[in-house]
C-alpha cells in the first residue's frame, strides 16, 4: 500500500481545522488536503484516498435533531451555519460538529471505475471529487439517519456517464440531429425536473405543509409490514405505488416513513402543483414535477428515462401514483403505465438491477375534497391549482376528520414479476394489475364506507339506526369470516353507529330527521355521489360475492344453458360473463384464480355445495336462506345502471358513431333524465367516470371506434349494441329480483 491522503470536503477554515484535528488521531501519518484543491492526475496509483466531511447537526429539540421553522424565519440553517458563527458553535456546542469518514479507495481503483463508467473527455479529477463526496454522504447518513438519504450531484453523474452519452448519440441519429445538441437539450430538460434534495428543504417542507394533514387526521399504519420493508430497503430500492385519494397523500406517506427512519422517497408528480411556493420548496425536498403528457417529445422521454435509470441504479426510493390522478369515485382508477415502463426499461438495461414494488393503500374516514371531485365526476370543471387554491385548501383542513390509514400490500420483485408475466404487449398490464390487486387487498374497510353501503340502497329513502344496523350485521359477519381488514365493529353498532352517522351528517353527506318517533338518516340532496365515494372504497371486497349471487339467481331462474357437462360448468361460464361486463370497473385476477375465489365464496354461502348437484330449487333456497346477507344489489347496481345509459345511447345511434366526448356528454343528460324517471335506480351512477368505464367496455367489444379513431370492429353494429343492452337489462333484472327477495325477507312487501 502506498501513501494515504485525507480528502477534506469542507467549505470554511473552521471545518478544515476540525478535519485536521480528527485526522491527527484517526490517520496521524496522512496529510489533509481540501477536496477542491486535489489534482488526482498527479497522484500515484497506489495512493489511498480517505474522504472526510465536517457535519453540522441541529440542536436537540424534543428529543430530535431537526431544523425548525423558527430557524428558517431568522434565515439560519443549522446544517450549514454561517462561517462567522462556526467557531463559536464549535466552542460552545461541540456536539453539533462531527467529522465522518467515507469508504477509502486507491487512485488506481478509482481510475478503473472511471474508465468503465464515464465518457471520454470527462476530467478524472472531477470524477474523483464526485466519488469522494458520495462516499462521505453515505458515511454522514450513519449520523443523521436514513431519513436524510438524498441524491446529490445528480446532473453531473448522469450527463457525464458513458451510457447517457451513447444513448444520446443513438437518439440523435434517429432524429437526424447533432449528438451535442441532443445532449444539451436533454440535460436542460432534465434540470427542469431533477429533484435536488437538501436536508434543510426536507425539514422546511415537512414543517410548513404538515398543517395540511396533521390536525385533520390521526395517521395509523401497519407496523409489521413496515418493519419488513425496512429490512428490504437495506438491500433493495423500494418503489411505493399508492392509491390516490387526496392531495395530501404524499404528505401522509412521508410522515409515516419519516417517523420510522426511512430515507425520503423521490416523488413523481404532475407539474400542475409546481406553483409558488409549493414548487420551489417541494422540488428541493424530493418532488419530481413532470409534464402530464410528453409522448410527443422524444428528448424529454430520453431525459426522464435516464433519470429513472439513475434512481434505480443508485437504489433511491421512488414513489408515484399509478392511477395518474385522484379517484373521483372512491374506486381505484385504471393504472397508467408510462412511468412503470421506464422503470422496467431501467431494470432490463442494468445487469442484476431490481426494485421491490410496494403496493400502498391510503384511505381516510372523511375527506374535504370529495364534494369537488364528485362534482367533476358529474360533469363539473376542475378548478386549477394555485396559491389562492392552496390557501382555501389549507383553511378547509382545520377540522378533525377521523383517521387516515396507511396499509401496504405484499411487496414483490419487479424483475421476478416481469418473468412471471411472460412476453408480449400485455406484460406491463399484468404487472400493473398485480399492483392494483394488492392495493385492493390491503385497503381497510371504514365505518363510513359501510354506512354508505347501507344507506345507498336501490330504494332512495331514509333509514333508522336500527335498520342500518340490521343491514350491517351480516356484512360484519362476512368481513369477519373472510378475515378482511374491517373497521371496529363497535363503530357500526349501537352508540358507535350513531356517532358514525352523526359525523357524516356534520360533514353534510347525510341528513337527519328527528321530528317523528325515531331519528331517520338519508342521503343529503345532491350528495349521492359523495356518499358513494365512501362506499366505493370498500366495494372491491364484495364483488366476488355479488357475482356469485347473480350466478345463483341465473341458476334458480333456469336461465342457464346446461349441456352434458352439467350445471356447474354452465354456472362458471355465467360468472365469467358477468366478470367480463365489469372488467373496466374492478381488477380481477386470472380465470383460474377468479373461479377459485368464487368457490371460496360458495363455501360461505352453501358449505356443502361441492357434494350437491345444484338444481333450480336448491339455488333458490340458498338465496332465500341468505336474504338478509345478499350484497349484489348494493354492490353492482350503480355500474349496471351506468352501462344501461351508455348502451341505450349507442343503440339510439344505430350504426352511426359519435366522438367519445360527445357520447359521454349525451350520457350525462340521458342519465339525469332516467334517474328523474326512476328507471336508473342509483343516482350516484350519473357520473362521467362510470360512463367512461362503460365506453371502454363498448370499445373493447368493438361497438365504438378504437383509440385511433378507426371504425368499430362489429360488422352489424346496431345488432351488437342491442345484444349488449339486453345483457345489461338482464343483470338489472336479476338485481331487481334480489331486491324483491330482500324486501320479502324484511316484510316490506305489501
Amino acid at each position: 500500500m502506498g501513501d494515504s491522503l485525507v480528502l477534506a470536503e469542507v467549505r470554511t477554515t473552521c471545518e478544515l481545522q476540525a478535519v485536521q484535528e480528527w485526522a491527527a488521531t484517526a490517520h496521524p501519518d496522512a496529510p489533509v488536503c481540501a477536496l477542491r484543491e486535489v489534482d488526482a492526475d498527479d497522484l500515484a496509483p497506489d495512493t489511498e484516498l480517505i474522504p472526510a466531511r465536517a457535519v453540522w447537526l441541529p440542536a436537540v429539540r424534543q428529543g430530535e435533531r431537526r431544523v425548525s421553522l423558527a430557524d428558517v424565519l431568522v434565515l439560519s440553517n443549522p446544517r450549514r451555519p454561517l462561517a462567522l458563527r462556526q467557531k463559536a458553535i464549535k466552542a460552545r456546542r461541540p456536539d453539533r460538529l462531527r467529522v465522518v469518514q467515507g469508504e477509502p479507495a486507491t487512485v488506481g481503483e478509482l481510475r478503473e471505475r472511471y474508465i468503465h463508467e464515464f465518457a471520454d473527455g470527462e476530467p478524472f479529477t472531477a470524477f474523483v471529487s464526485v466519488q469522494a463526496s458520495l462516499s462521505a454522504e453515505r458515511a454522514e447518513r450513519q449520523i443523521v439517519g436514513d431519513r436524510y438519504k438524498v441524491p446529490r450531484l445528480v446532473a453531473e453523474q448522469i450527463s457525464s456517464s458513458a451510457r447517457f452519452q451513447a444513448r444520446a448519440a443513438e437518439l440523435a441519429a434517429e432524429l437526424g440531429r447533432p449528438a451535442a445538441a441532443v445532449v444539451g437539450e436533454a440535460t436542460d430538460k432534465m434540470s427542469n425536473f431533477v429533484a435536488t434534495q437538501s436536508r434543510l428543504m426536507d425539514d422546511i417542507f415537512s414543517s410548513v405543509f404538515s398543517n395540511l394533514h396533521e390536525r385533520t387526521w390521526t395517521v395509523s399504519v401497519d407496523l409489521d409490514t413496515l418493519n419488513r420493508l425496512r429490512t428490504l430497503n437495506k438491500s433493495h430500492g423500494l418503489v411505493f405505488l399508492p392509491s390516490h385519494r387526496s392531495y395530501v397523500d404524499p404528505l401522509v406517506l412521508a410522515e409515516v416513513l419519516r417517523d420510522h427512519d426511512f430515507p425520503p422517497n423521490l416523488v413523481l408528480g404532475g407539474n400542475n402543483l409546481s406553483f409558488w411556493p409549493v414548487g420551489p420548496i417541494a422540488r428541493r425536498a424530493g418532488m419530481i414535477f413532470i409534464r402530464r403528457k410528453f409522448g410527443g417529445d422524444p428528448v424529454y422521454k430520453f431525459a426522464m428515462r435516464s433519470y429513472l435509470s439513475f434512481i434505480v441504479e443508485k437504489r433511491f426510493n421512488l414513489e408515484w401514483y399509478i392511477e395518474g390522478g385522484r379517484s373521483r369515485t372512491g374506486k381505484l382508477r385504471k393504472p397508467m403505465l408510462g412511468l412503470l415502463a421506464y422503470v422496467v426499461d431501467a431494470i432490463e438495461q442494468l445487469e442484476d438491477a431490481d426494485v421491490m414494488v410496494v403496493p400502498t393503500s391510503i384511505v381516510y374516514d372523511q375527506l374535504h375534497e370529495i364534494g369537488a371531485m364528485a362534482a367533476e365526476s358529474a360533469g363539473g370543471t376542475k378548478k386549477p391549482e394555485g396559491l389562492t387554491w392552496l390557501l382555501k385548501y389549507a383553511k378547509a383542513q382545520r377540522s378533525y376528520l377521523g383517521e387516515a390509514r396507511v396499509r401496504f400490500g405484499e411487496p414483490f420483485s419487479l424483475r421476478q414479476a416481469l418473468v412471471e408475466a411472460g412476453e408480449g404487449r400485455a406484460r406491463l398490464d399484468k404487472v400493473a394489475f398485480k399492483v392494483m390487486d394488492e392495493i385492493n387487498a390491503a385497503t381497510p374497510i371504514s365505518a363510513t364506507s359501510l354506512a354508505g353501503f347501507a344507506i345507498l340502497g336501490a330504494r332512495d329513502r331514509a333509514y333508522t339506526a336500527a335498520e342500518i344496523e340490521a343491514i350491517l350485521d351480516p356484512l360484519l359477519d362476512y368481513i369477519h369470516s373472510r378475515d378482511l381488514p374491517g373497521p371496529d365493529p363497535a363503530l357500526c353498532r349501537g352508540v358507535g353507529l350513531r356517532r358514525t352517522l352523526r359525523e357524516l351528517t356534520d360533514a353534510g353527506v347525510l341528513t337527519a330527521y328527528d321530528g317523528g318517533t325515531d331519528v331517520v338518516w338519508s342521503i343529503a340532496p345532491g350528495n349521492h355521489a359523495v356518499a358513494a365515494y365512501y362506499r366505493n372504497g370498500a366495494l372491491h371486497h364484495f364483488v366476488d360475492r355479488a357475482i356469485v349471487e347473480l350466478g345463483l339467481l341465473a341458476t334458480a331462474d333456469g336461465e342457464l344453458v346446461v349441456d352434458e357437462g352439467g350445471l356447474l360448468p354452465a354456472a362458471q361460464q355465467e360468472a365469467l360473463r358477468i366478470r367480463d361486463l365489469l372488467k373496466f370497473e374492478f381488477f380481477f385476477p386470472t380465470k383460474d384464480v377468479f373461479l377459485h375465489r368464487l368457490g371460496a365464496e360458495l363455501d360461505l354461502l352453501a358449505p356443502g355445495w361441492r357434494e350437491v348437484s345444484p338444481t333450480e330449487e336448491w339455488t333458490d333456497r340458498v338465496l332465500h336462506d341468505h336474504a338478509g346477507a345478499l350484497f349484489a344489489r348494493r354492490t353492482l347496481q350503480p355500474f349496471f345502471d351506468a352501462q344501461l345509459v351508455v348502451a341505450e345511447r349507442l343503440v339510439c345511434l344505430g350504426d352511426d358513431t359519435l366522438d367519445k366526448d360527445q357520447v359521454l356528454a349525451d350520457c350525462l343528460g340521458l342519465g339525469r333524465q332516467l334517474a328523474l324517471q326512476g328507471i336508473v335506480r342509483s343516482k350516484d351512477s350519473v357520473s362521467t367516470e362510470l360512463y367512461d368505464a362503460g365506453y371502454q367496455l363498448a370499445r373493447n367489444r368493438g361497438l365504438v371506434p378504437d383509440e385511433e379513431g378507426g371504425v368499430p370492429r362489429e360488422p352489424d353494429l346496431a345488432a351488437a349494441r342491442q345484444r349488449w343492452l339486453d345483457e345489461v337489462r338482464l343483470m338489472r333484472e336479476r338485481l331487481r329480483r334480489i331486491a324483491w327477495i330482500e324486501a320479502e325477507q324484511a316484510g316490506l312487501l305489501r
Side-chain angles (χ1 to χ4, degrees), residues 435-471:
V435 172
M436 309 310 270
D437 194 44
E438 285 292 339
I439 292 175
N440 272 337
T443 298
I445 303 168
S446 68
T448 50
S449 291
L450 295 187
F453 186 89
I455 295 179
L456 279 167
R459 298 179 65 196
D460 189 17
R461 68 177 185 87
Y463 292 81
T464 66
E467 288 176 318
I468 296 172
E469 190 169 337
I471 295 169

Coordinates of all heavy atoms in Angstrom, one line a residue, residues 435-471:
V435 N -50.3 -5.0 -9.0 CA -50.2 -3.8 -8.1 C -51.6 -3.5 -7.6 O -51.8 -3.3 -6.3 CB -49.5 -2.6 -8.7 CG1 -49.6 -1.4 -7.8 CG2 -48.0 -2.9 -9.1
M436 N -52.5 -3.3 -8.5 CA -53.8 -2.8 -8.1 C -54.5 -3.9 -7.2 O -55.3 -3.5 -6.3 CB -54.7 -2.5 -9.3 CG -54.0 -1.6 -10.4 SD -53.3 -0.1 -9.7 CE -54.7 1.0 -9.8
D437 N -54.4 -5.2 -7.5 CA -55.0 -6.2 -6.8 C -54.4 -6.2 -5.3 O -55.2 -6.4 -4.4 CB -54.7 -7.6 -7.4 CG -55.6 -8.7 -6.9 OD1 -56.8 -8.4 -6.7 OD2 -55.1 -9.8 -6.6
E438 N -53.1 -6.0 -5.2 CA -52.5 -5.9 -3.9 C -53.0 -4.7 -3.1 O -53.2 -4.7 -1.9 CB -51.0 -5.9 -4.0 CG -50.4 -7.3 -4.3 CD -50.6 -8.3 -3.2 OE1 -50.7 -7.9 -2.0 OE2 -50.5 -9.5 -3.5
I439 N -53.1 -3.6 -3.8 CA -53.7 -2.4 -3.1 C -55.1 -2.6 -2.6 O -55.4 -2.3 -1.4 CB -53.7 -1.1 -4.1 CG1 -52.2 -0.7 -4.4 CG2 -54.4 0.0 -3.4 CD1 -52.2 0.4 -5.4
N440 N -55.9 -3.2 -3.4 CA -57.3 -3.5 -3.0 C -57.3 -4.5 -1.8 O -58.1 -4.3 -0.9 CB -58.0 -4.2 -4.2 CG -58.7 -3.1 -5.1 OD1 -59.0 -2.0 -4.7 ND2 -59.0 -3.5 -6.3
A441 N -56.5 -5.5 -1.9 CA -56.4 -6.5 -0.8 C -56.0 -5.8 0.5 O -56.5 -6.2 1.6 CB -55.5 -7.6 -1.1
A442 N -55.2 -4.8 0.5 CA -54.7 -4.2 1.7 C -55.6 -3.0 2.2 O -55.5 -2.6 3.3 CB -53.3 -3.6 1.4
T443 N -56.5 -2.6 1.3 CA -57.3 -1.4 1.7 C -58.3 -1.7 2.8 O -59.1 -2.7 2.7 CB -58.1 -0.9 0.4 OG1 -57.2 -0.5 -0.6 CG2 -59.0 0.2 0.8
P444 N -58.2 -1.0 3.9 CA -59.1 -1.3 5.0 C -60.5 -0.8 4.7 O -60.7 0.2 4.0 CB -58.5 -0.6 6.2 CG -57.7 0.5 5.6 CD -57.2 0.0 4.2
I445 N -61.5 -1.4 5.3 CA -62.9 -1.0 5.2 C -63.2 -0.1 6.4 O -63.0 -0.5 7.5 CB -63.8 -2.2 5.2 CG1 -63.4 -3.2 4.1 CG2 -65.3 -1.8 5.1 CD1 -64.1 -4.6 4.2
S446 N -63.7 1.1 6.1 CA -64.0 2.0 7.2 C -65.5 2.0 7.5 O -66.3 1.5 6.8 CB -63.7 3.5 6.7 OG -64.5 3.9 5.7
A447 N -65.8 2.5 8.7 CA -67.2 2.5 9.2 C -68.0 3.4 8.3 O -69.2 3.2 8.0 CB -67.3 3.0 10.6
T448 N -67.4 4.5 7.8 CA -68.1 5.4 6.9 C -68.4 4.7 5.5 O -69.5 5.0 4.9 CB -67.3 6.7 6.6 OG1 -66.0 6.3 6.2 CG2 -67.3 7.6 7.8
S449 N -67.5 3.8 5.1 CA -67.8 3.0 3.9 C -69.0 2.2 4.0 O -69.9 2.1 3.2 CB -66.6 2.2 3.5 OG -65.5 2.9 3.1
L450 N -69.1 1.5 5.2 CA -70.2 0.6 5.4 C -71.5 1.4 5.6 O -72.6 0.9 5.2 CB -70.0 -0.3 6.6 CG -68.8 -1.2 6.5 CD1 -68.7 -2.2 7.7 CD2 -68.9 -2.1 5.2
A451 N -71.5 2.6 6.2 CA -72.7 3.4 6.4 C -73.2 3.8 5.0 O -74.4 3.7 4.7 CB -72.4 4.6 7.2
G452 N -72.3 4.2 4.1 CA -72.7 4.5 2.7 C -73.3 3.3 2.0 O -74.3 3.4 1.3
F453 N -72.7 2.1 2.2 CA -73.2 0.9 1.6 C -74.6 0.6 2.0 O -75.4 0.2 1.2 CB -72.2 -0.3 2.1 CG -72.5 -1.6 1.4 CD1 -71.9 -1.9 0.2 CD2 -73.4 -2.5 2.0 CE1 -72.2 -3.1 -0.4 CE2 -73.7 -3.7 1.4 CZ -73.1 -4.0 0.2
A454 N -74.9 0.8 3.3 CA -76.2 0.5 3.8 C -77.3 1.5 3.3 O -78.4 1.1 2.9 CB -76.2 0.5 5.3
I455 N -76.9 2.8 3.3 CA -78.0 3.8 3.0 C -78.2 4.0 1.5 O -79.3 4.3 1.0 CB -77.6 5.2 3.6 CG1 -77.6 5.0 5.2 CG2 -78.5 6.3 3.2 CD1 -77.2 6.3 5.9
L456 N -77.1 3.7 0.7 CA -77.3 3.8 -0.8 C -77.9 2.5 -1.3 O -77.3 1.8 -2.1 CB -75.9 4.0 -1.4 CG -75.4 5.5 -1.4 CD1 -73.9 5.5 -1.7 CD2 -76.2 6.4 -2.3
G457 N -79.1 2.2 -0.9 CA -79.8 1.1 -1.4 C -80.5 1.5 -2.7 O -80.5 2.6 -3.2
A458 N -81.1 0.5 -3.4 CA -81.8 0.8 -4.6 C -83.0 1.7 -4.4 O -83.4 2.5 -5.2 CB -82.3 -0.5 -5.3
R459 N -83.6 1.6 -3.2 CA -84.7 2.5 -2.8 C -84.2 3.7 -2.1 O -83.5 3.6 -1.1 CB -85.7 1.8 -1.9 CG -86.3 0.6 -2.5 CD -87.3 -0.1 -1.5 NE -88.4 0.8 -1.2 CZ -89.2 0.6 -0.1 NH1 -89.0 -0.4 0.7 NH2 -90.2 1.4 0.1
D460 N -84.4 4.9 -2.7 CA -83.9 6.2 -2.2 C -84.8 6.6 -1.0 O -85.8 7.3 -1.2 CB -83.8 7.2 -3.3 CG -83.1 8.5 -2.8 OD1 -82.4 8.4 -1.8 OD2 -83.2 9.5 -3.5
R461 N -84.5 6.2 0.2 CA -85.4 6.5 1.3 C -84.5 6.7 2.6 O -83.3 6.5 2.6 CB -86.4 5.4 1.6 CG -85.8 4.1 2.1 CD -86.9 3.1 2.4 NE -86.4 1.8 2.9 CZ -86.3 1.6 4.3 NH1 -86.5 2.6 5.1 NH2 -85.9 0.5 4.7
A462 N -85.1 7.1 3.6 CA -84.5 7.3 4.9 C -84.5 6.0 5.7 O -85.4 5.1 5.6 CB -85.1 8.4 5.7
Y463 N -83.5 5.8 6.6 CA -83.3 4.6 7.4 C -83.1 5.0 8.9 O -82.5 6.0 9.2 CB -82.1 3.8 7.0 CG -82.2 3.2 5.6 CD1 -81.9 3.9 4.5 CD2 -82.5 1.8 5.5 CE1 -82.0 3.3 3.2 CE2 -82.6 1.2 4.2 CZ -82.3 2.0 3.1 OH -82.4 1.4 1.8
T464 N -83.7 4.2 9.8 CA -83.4 4.3 11.2 C -82.1 3.7 11.5 O -81.6 2.9 10.7 CB -84.5 3.7 12.1 OG1 -84.4 2.2 11.8 CG2 -85.9 4.2 11.7
A465 N -81.5 4.0 12.6 CA -80.2 3.4 13.0 C -80.4 1.9 13.2 O -79.5 1.1 12.8 CB -79.7 4.0 14.3
A466 N -81.6 1.4 13.6 CA -81.8 0.0 13.8 C -81.8 -0.7 12.4 O -81.3 -1.8 12.3 CB -83.1 -0.2 14.5
E467 N -82.4 0.0 11.4 CA -82.5 -0.6 10.1 C -81.1 -0.7 9.5 O -80.7 -1.7 8.9 CB -83.4 0.2 9.2 CG -84.9 0.1 9.5 CD -85.7 1.0 8.6 OE1 -85.3 2.1 8.4 OE2 -86.8 0.5 8.1
I468 N -80.3 0.3 9.7 CA -78.9 0.3 9.2 C -78.1 -0.8 9.9 O -77.3 -1.5 9.2 CB -78.3 1.7 9.4 CG1 -79.0 2.8 8.5 CG2 -76.8 1.7 9.0 CD1 -78.6 4.2 8.8
E469 N -78.3 -0.9 11.2 CA -77.6 -1.9 11.9 C -77.9 -3.3 11.4 O -77.1 -4.2 11.3 CB -77.8 -1.8 13.4 CG -77.0 -2.7 14.3 CD -77.1 -2.3 15.7 OE1 -77.5 -1.2 16.1 OE2 -76.8 -3.2 16.6
A470 N -79.2 -3.5 11.1 CA -79.7 -4.8 10.6 C -79.0 -5.1 9.2 O -78.8 -6.3 8.9 CB -81.2 -4.8 10.4
I471 N -78.8 -4.1 8.4 CA -78.1 -4.3 7.1 C -76.7 -4.6 7.3 O -76.1 -5.5 6.6 CB -78.3 -3.0 6.2 CG1 -79.8 -2.8 5.9 CG2 -77.4 -3.1 5.0 CD1 -80.0 -1.5 5.2

